[in-house]
Amino acid sequence: MGTVKKNILIGVLVSLFATFGGIFLYLEYFSRFGFFETIDLIKEGNLYGKVLSLAAIPNLFVFFIFIKKKQDNRAKGVLLATIFIALTTLVLKFF
């Protein structure tokens, strides 16, 4: 695997990790309810897209860190993952 593809893959994986970290932070610390109660409320209210879009905010910080360190290919991976998350959010909102 070439170094460009490897760096893009690392960016995608870091972005997905940041998104899952954002979901965990939202469910654990910012919600007024417990972890499993919040998951139940998300299921009942069909709020998957909204929570996923909030959870993608840490990708912004990861993207700018990679840009500042001049790791452009990793930043491209973060951008690709964020676009994928945005499309997933769009599908969850309308379907």
Side-chain angles (χ1 to χ4, degrees), residues 4-16 59 62-63 66 71-85:
V4 173
K5 290 181 183 178
K6 181 180 175 184
N7 284 332
I8 290 175
L9 179 64
I10 290 171
V12 168
L13 293 176
V14 169
S15 176
L16 293 176
N59 289 344
V62 172
F63 178 77
F66 284 148
Q71 297 175 344
D72 294 337
N73 289 325
R74 290 184 182 185
K76 287 178 189 178
V78 172
L79 188 61
L80 286 172
T82 305
I83 289 170
F84 176 73
I85 292 168

